[in-house]
Amino acid sequence: MYRSSLYLRHGMEEGGTMAVLNVSGIMVIFGGTGDLTHRKLMPALYNLLYEKNLPENFCVVSVGRRDKTDDVYRNEVYESIRKYSRIKLDENLWKILRNKIYYQKFDFHDDAGYTRLKGFLNELDENYKTDGNRIFYLAVAPEYFELIVEKLYEHGMVENSKSWQRVMIEKPFGKDFNSAVYLNKKITDVFSEKNTYRIDHYLGKEMLQNIMVIRFANVFFEPVWNNKYIDNVQISSSETVGIENRGGYYEKAGALRDMIQNHMLQLLTLTAMEPPVDLTTDSIHDEKVKVLKSLQELTPELVLKNAVRGQYEGYRNEDRVSPDSDTETFAALKVFVDNFRWAGVPFYIRTGKKLPVKSTEIIIQFKPLPGILYFKEYGGLMPNLLVIKIQPEEGVFLQFNAKKPGTLNKLIPVKMDFCQNCQVGMNSPEAYERLIYDALRGDSTLFTRWDEVEYSWKYVDKIADVWRNEKPDFPNYKPGTWGPRDADNLLSKDNFKWWNIGGFYDENI
């Protein structure tokens, strides 16, 4: 593992492990009995403890509406860690974590519950020497965000100037621009922007953290990272599963709000951003916002031309889905960043459910050489590619042309491939481990700042407004295919095709 200034800046030691965390605090999880807590948050806390990245003066209080004792809840957490942790459960370490876990039962509307919670947290402050420091993690449905934040303020749990109180909020942050503005005001009236941590778990993934390192810590990438050398950029995130048990949520969101507004535009900003003046949080966020502000202004005509939506066959039969639903499970966009670096370079974004593979990757396709020498003699040579693999494989490969060994002069594409999670014994931290770790440290670099959310919603709302007034021909793709044919046409009009896993053209579209 190489050493990088970005990793060291964000608390990474040489060798890739996170530095010892010398802070104290209590993490309060609203939604403590939910799926996110059991599948992601509790395993993340255990893994942080295993790798010695959890503060000694720390404990966690889960809040839920179900009637449980501490011991019953701890036993449930034990089973969750045993099932979902990337690291095998060690009984001795579990005993340490077990004694740091508590459960409080009350309804989120119940003032008496917040009164009890405040008193209990004060007791824990004495026992764990946490000095009033708090992280309030809202692992709940979006309709509870405002309520919980207001109750915390009303009951005096966000007021101690000698300590810190931070709030971590899961997506979606609003359902459109206006609702996001309203929610942001309600939250920042209580928690300052500095103490508001809007989660996009993609930003916690190892390879997303590596994009800036790849670009700005290597001399041979940045000089060609522009419209002189790059033909197009493809950002794809595909899933093989459908909506599973999320019909109620997905009907209100769809692929546009669930993926494009946050994850996919974040990938775009990290790919297209200018070098920041330094590696401080605000400097990095400033450059990401500049990309969002530079996105080509969308007109209804451009939306109809450059945005494609789809719905897989069978979606309307899913639980809690309308039988005549027009909600999209697939979205593809052709996007332009109107600045000097990227003018004229199309960014193609694609995301969807029930696609052939589960994968997230960024593909940089470089321009072909002039039609002389080998390009004249052999013709049809494959373009050079740089592929950043986000998940499930984490790594980078570079594709270029070389002579095939043998007596014949035949040129073939070859790959230099780096996979950081393919080696035996290499087990990359889960995104939530990094996000919790950074929130405890007070580092919001891997979270979304309000103006990022603001400009993302402004862009996506223009697409949603056009789609709302156009009746789609749904369903329009079969499960296990790469979505509707119109998504292919986005690229074929420009003489491009979607790249598939491993750097080969997808011939199934």
Side-chain angles (χ1 to χ4, degrees):
M1 178 72 70
Y2 53 81
R3 179 174 181 168
S4 75
S5 59
L6 178 65
Y7 273 53
L8 296 177
R9 145 82 181 112
H10 291 304
M12 299 294 285
E13 295 180 329
E14 187 172 3
T17 59
M18 286 180 277
V20 176
L21 192 55
N22 187 25
V23 299
S24 63
I26 300 173
M27 184 172 177
V28 182
I29 303 175
F30 287 89
T33 60
D35 194 57
L36 176 65
T37 299
H38 282 283
R39 285 176 174 263
K40 297 295 184 180
L41 303 185
M42 288 302 179
L45 291 172
Y46 171 78
N47 294 338
L48 287 170
L49 177 65
Y50 179 90
E51 295 185 337
K52 300 180 181 179
N53 293 318
L54 201 64
E56 182 176 346
N57 297 336
F58 173 85
C59 65
V60 57
V61 178
S62 287
V63 177
R65 290 172 288 187
R66 300 173 190 172
D67 195 9
K68 302 176 187 291
T69 64
D70 285 343
D71 285 339
V72 167
Y73 183 71
R74 289 164 176 166
N75 291 337
E76 293 173 351
V77 170
Y78 173 86
E79 292 300 324
S80 297
I81 293 173
R82 190 172 63 84
K83 184 175 181 179
Y84 297 115
S85 173
R86 66 183 175 87
I87 299 172
K88 186 177 179 180
L89 188 65
D90 179 278
E91 295 293 338
N92 291 325
L93 279 178
W94 163 244
K95 290 177 183 177
I96 296 173
L97 183 60
R98 176 187 174 92
N99 292 331
K100 294 177 179 288
I101 296 174
Y102 301 89
Y103 182 78
Q104 289 279 294
K105 172 192 176 294
F106 64 87
D107 185 275
F108 301 147
H109 294 84
D110 181 17
D111 286 297
Y114 291 91
T115 300
R116 292 194 305 273
L117 176 63
K118 180 180 180 181
F120 185 58
L121 295 179
N122 289 338
E123 292 178 17
L124 294 177
D125 272 335
E126 294 295 322
N127 296 336
Y128 289 91
K129 312 300 181 188
T130 46
D131 302 323
N133 297 330
R134 311 272 190 267
I135 288 180
F136 296 103
Y137 197 118
L138 306 190
V140 297
E143 57 262 31
Y144 294 111
F145 292 168
E146 177 187 350
L147 170 68
I148 292 172
V149 167
E150 287 184 346
K151 292 293 185 183
L152 290 173
Y153 176 75
E154 290 171 4
H155 291 271
M157 284 182 269
V158 191
E159 62 178 7
N160 192 342
S161 60
K162 295 181 180 179
S163 57
W164 49 259
Q165 294 89 41
R166 299 167 186 149
V167 62
M168 296 179 71
I169 303 175
E170 282 286 337
K171 76 174 184 74
F173 196 88
K175 59 183 180 180
D176 54 22
F177 172 70
N178 289 333
S179 62
V181 170
Y182 174 84
L183 177 60
N184 188 66
K185 185 178 188 308
K186 290 295 183 180
I187 291 172
T188 54
D189 280 348
V190 177
F191 294 91
S192 66
E193 174 66 28
K194 176 183 177 183
N195 289 320
T196 300
Y197 289 67
R198 303 173 192 85
I199 296 170
D200 183 333
H201 71 268
Y202 264 45
L203 295 178
K205 293 182 180 296
E206 280 290 314
M207 282 310 300
L208 256 78
Q209 299 169 44
N210 233 333
I211 292 173
M212 283 180 56
V213 178
I214 291 167
R215 286 190 57 191
F216 304 133
N218 295 290
V219 70
F220 49 85
F221 285 131
E222 187 57 22
V224 297
W225 208 270
N226 54 60
N227 54 11
K228 293 181 181 178
Y229 298 97
I230 291 176
D231 232 358
N232 72 83
V233 179
Q234 297 180 23
I235 304 174
S236 290
S237 183
S238 58
E239 296 183 81
T240 57
V241 299
I243 60 168
E244 298 180 303
N245 60 351
R246 302 170 69 215
Y249 160 74
Y250 208 83
E251 276 287 87
K252 300 175 183 177
L256 185 67
R257 295 179 176 88
D258 185 52
M259 290 292 294
I260 300 290
Q261 184 273 330
N262 39 73
H263 302 328
M264 305 306 286
L265 287 182
Q266 285 293 323
L267 290 173
L268 171 64
T269 60
L270 287 168
T271 305
M273 65 185 278
E274 294 294 323
V277 295
D278 54 41
L279 293 174
T280 58
T281 296
D282 280 340
S283 293
I284 293 171
H285 284 303
D286 287 346
E287 296 305 328
K288 291 167 68 180
V289 170
K290 287 179 184 178
V291 174
L292 295 172
K293 293 169 73 172
S294 298
L295 293 179
Q296 181 186 45
E297 187 73 20
L298 287 178
T299 63
E301 293 75 22
L302 277 177
V303 172
L304 293 174
K305 180 182 177 183
N306 292 336
V308 173
R309 54 180 162 165
Q311 184 189 95
Y312 63 78
E313 292 181 4
Y315 172 76
R316 291 172 175 176
N317 298 325
E318 301 274 17
D319 185 39
R320 292 188 292 171
V321 170
S322 169
D324 58 354
S325 173
D326 287 339
T327 299
E328 76 283 353
T329 61
F330 176 99
L333 309 177
K334 177 181 175 181
V335 176
F336 287 97
V337 179
D338 286 343
N339 60 22
F340 277 104
R341 180 186 291 264
W342 294 111
V345 177
F347 286 74
Y348 301 103
I349 298 174
R350 173 178 65 173
T351 184
K353 304 280 190 184
K354 293 274 190 178
L355 301 184
V357 295
K358 176 180 174 62
S359 173
T360 301
E361 57 188 9
I362 301 167
I363 300 156
I364 313 294
Q365 179 175 329
F366 292 92
K367 290 184 176 181
L369 288 170
I372 57 174
L373 299 177
Y374 293 106
F375 276 77
K376 177 181 179 181
E377 189 75 21
Y378 295 95
L381 296 181
M382 299 288 271
N384 297 152
L385 297 178
L386 177 68
V387 179
I388 301 172
K389 300 177 288 185
I390 309 298
Q391 65 175 10
E393 283 191 5
E394 301 167 1
V396 183
F397 77 72
L398 182 65
Q399 176 175 289
F400 55 95
N401 294 308
K403 179 185 174 295
K404 183 178 181 179
T407 56
L408 299 178
N409 286 330
K410 184 177 181 180
L411 303 189
I412 59 172
V414 297
K415 294 186 292 187
M416 295 178 63
D417 196 348
F418 163 67
C419 178
Q420 71 177 19
N421 66 338
C422 294
Q423 302 174 16
V424 175
M426 180 61 188
N427 197 351
S428 297
E430 289 284 343
Y432 283 95
E433 296 171 39
R434 186 54 192 263
L435 296 175
I436 292 171
Y437 178 85
D438 279 0
L440 284 166
R441 296 171 59 239
D443 187 343
S444 61
T445 305
L446 300 181
F447 298 82
T448 51
R449 200 169 67 184
W450 162 243
D451 47 359
E452 295 176 68
V453 177
E454 174 188 6
Y455 284 103
S456 295
W457 273 124
K458 285 181 177 179
Y459 188 79
V460 163
D461 277 357
K462 292 177 181 177
I463 301 171
D465 289 343
V466 174
W467 283 359
R468 192 178 299 114
N469 296 318
E470 296 285 332
K471 180 70 176 176
D473 185 19
F474 284 171
N476 60 354
Y477 71 95
K478 294 180 181 296
T481 66
W482 281 104
R485 189 166 295 276
D486 284 345
D488 185 36
N489 296 337
L490 274 182
L491 282 76
S492 64
K493 291 183 293 187
D494 301 327
N495 295 317
F496 299 128
K497 295 182 80 172
W498 290 106
W499 288 95
N500 196 12
I501 307 305
F504 296 98
Y505 275 128
D506 171 27
E507 300 294 351
N508 297 320
I509 299 179

